[in-house]
Amino acid sequence: MKRIAVLGAGSWGTVLANLLLKNGHEVTLWTHKPAQAAEITQQHTNQHYLPDFVLEPELTATADLKTALVGADVVLFVVPTNATREVAKKVVAGLTELQQRPIIVHASKGLEQQTHKRLSEVLAEEMPAATRQAIVVLSGPSHAEDVAAGDITSLTAASNDLAAAETIQQLFMNDYFRVYTNIDVIGVEMGAALKNVIAIGAGALHGLGYGDNTKAALMTRGLAEISRLGVAFGAEPLTFIGLSGVGDLIVTCTSVHSRNWRAGNQLGQGESLAAVLKNMGMVVEGVATTKAAYELAQQKHVDMPITTAIYHVLYEQKDIGTEIATLMKRAGKMELA
């Protein structure tokens, strides 16, 4: 049994905390909202993020970060990308005071907006080696709602420290949740972040009324873009045909549970980006990641026409139909070039 602090009580953080508790570990879930902590602990629900899902009665939540960290063998970050650095700074202060050195895991999918850094890089910058053991990334095709229902799910635990990845693998494994290990942290994180961009495009195509042929073309050519940019930063090409690459791309581009797909669907139906984000009520990571991916592609001179088109729609208010026409009228090329 391990003592685990799960940071972030959104849908994914709550479901992972509940799963770890069911696996026999001692878990405390942290949220910055006292009312939410009280609801989880006393009513065993998290209605805003997981309506009708009943949590294990032993799961406790707190709005006090230090309380969550006490005795933790593992600290699991499941906070929005843009909050990761701020939370990491607070965690470091708490761990230093408590004289603890846990394994750090993150299960978020995105790139930091200002720096465009991967989240393991952000965590490594803010959390000196003296305050932690290894950093592990947990990623793959996984909607919280399906895991909550006990649907069979497979993810990847990636780390430069294979032993740490194997430790996290064992924490999560059960009869419906299977975890593989990987040492390509760059590829796993890039795949996880960039698939959200393509999912916005997939949702937009659905909103516009396009059929399966179009969606398949977008996903396939989108994966080519993800791979090109990832490899430019040092990722292994084969990672992108794995769980954190094509696996996550498929589920995010085809499921109504995907916030990015839902956002794109509303855009395709004519809603403004501002209205879409207001209606969603939760973070749509792909919007910020689109800007980061577009700028990284410029920096590395990587051809990413689909990402560029989505950037034009989100940040330059270009017409979706015009951008699709532009994509289709590009000069012919070799598929694997």
Side-chain angles (χ1 to χ4, degrees):
M1 184 183 75
K2 298 289 186 182
R3 172 80 176 87
I4 305 166
V6 179
L7 312 183
S11 56
W12 192 219
T14 302
V15 165
L16 289 178
N18 198 67
L19 181 149
L20 288 165
L21 187 74
K22 290 171 68 176
N23 281 4
H25 303 293
E26 185 180 348
V27 181
T28 301
L29 180 59
W30 173 79
T31 168
H32 68 280
K33 302 173 182 176
Q36 186 185 35
E39 178 195 349
I40 291 169
T41 302
Q42 297 168 15
Q43 300 177 37
H44 318 303
T45 60
N46 190 349
Q47 284 292 334
H48 180 72
Y49 292 100
L50 293 163
D52 305 321
F53 178 56
V54 179
L55 301 167
E56 293 294 305
E58 296 83 10
L59 181 62
T60 60
T62 180
D64 182 82
L65 183 58
K66 185 177 176 182
T67 297
L69 294 174
V70 171
D73 302 297
V74 175
V75 177
L76 172 60
F77 283 73
V78 202
V79 298
T81 298
N82 61 3
T84 299
R85 190 178 292 274
E86 178 186 354
V87 174
K89 290 178 179 178
K90 295 177 180 178
V91 170
V92 165
L95 293 177
T96 301
E97 184 178 344
L98 293 167
Q99 296 185 323
Q100 293 172 203
R101 195 167 172 265
I103 295 175
I104 303 300
V105 187
H106 87 76
S108 302
K109 299 175 180 180
L111 301 171
E112 190 175 46
Q113 291 183 31
Q114 294 78 15
T115 67
H116 303 342
K117 290 183 177 179
R118 293 176 288 107
L119 294 184
S120 65
E121 294 179 299
V122 172
L123 292 170
E125 285 181 357
E126 297 298 335
M127 305 187 73
T131 65
R132 59 169 168 83
Q133 297 181 44
I135 295 174
V136 180
V137 181
L138 185 69
S139 191
S142 49
H143 286 308
E145 295 84 354
D146 289 343
V147 176
D151 202 12
I152 291 175
T153 303
S154 291
L155 275 75
T156 293
S159 178
N160 296 323
D161 184 333
L162 183 57
E166 290 171 343
T167 296
I168 300 309
Q169 177 185 48
Q170 293 306 313
L171 287 184
F172 282 95
M173 292 267 283
N174 60 32
D175 58 359
Y176 65 91
F177 201 86
R178 182 170 178 80
V179 180
Y180 294 82
T181 57
N182 196 317
I183 58 172
D184 181 17
V185 175
I186 297 173
V188 168
E189 288 187 299
M190 291 296 277
L194 298 175
K195 55 87 185 177
N196 287 331
V197 179
I198 306 305
I200 291 175
L205 291 179
H206 185 272
L208 288 162
Y210 284 95
D212 294 338
N213 290 359
T214 313
K215 296 166 191 173
L218 176 87
M219 291 168 62
T220 306
R221 297 310 303 166
L223 182 62
E225 293 191 11
I226 292 169
S227 301
R228 281 198 294 267
L229 188 60
V231 169
F233 279 91
E236 293 292 332
L238 286 177
T239 298
F240 298 104
I241 61 170
L243 289 166
S244 62
V246 67
D248 212 356
L249 182 69
I250 289 169
V251 77
T252 311
C253 287
T254 61
S255 174
V256 295
H257 292 316
S258 166
R259 295 173 216 166
N260 296 283
W261 185 92
R262 296 204 311 270
N265 186 49
Q266 291 178 41
L267 289 169
Q269 293 174 343
E271 292 280 357
S272 69
L273 178 60
V276 168
L277 296 179
K278 182 178 180 181
N279 294 338
M280 199 64 60
M282 293 183 278
V283 176
V284 182
E285 293 281 11
V287 173
T289 303
T290 297
K291 185 173 186 293
Y294 174 80
E295 292 173 354
L296 288 174
Q298 302 294 309
Q299 174 189 324
K300 290 287 188 178
H301 306 289
V302 174
D303 185 31
M304 299 184 74
I306 296 171
T307 300
T308 299
I310 296 169
Y311 174 84
H312 287 163
V313 171
L314 295 180
Y315 289 94
E316 296 181 357
Q317 293 75 52
K318 298 287 184 65
D319 176 70
I320 297 178
T322 302
E323 289 301 309
I324 292 172
T326 300
L327 284 171
M328 295 304 295
K329 291 176 182 176
R330 292 179 305 128
K333 58 179 287 188
M334 288 283 291
E335 182 182 7
L336 302 181

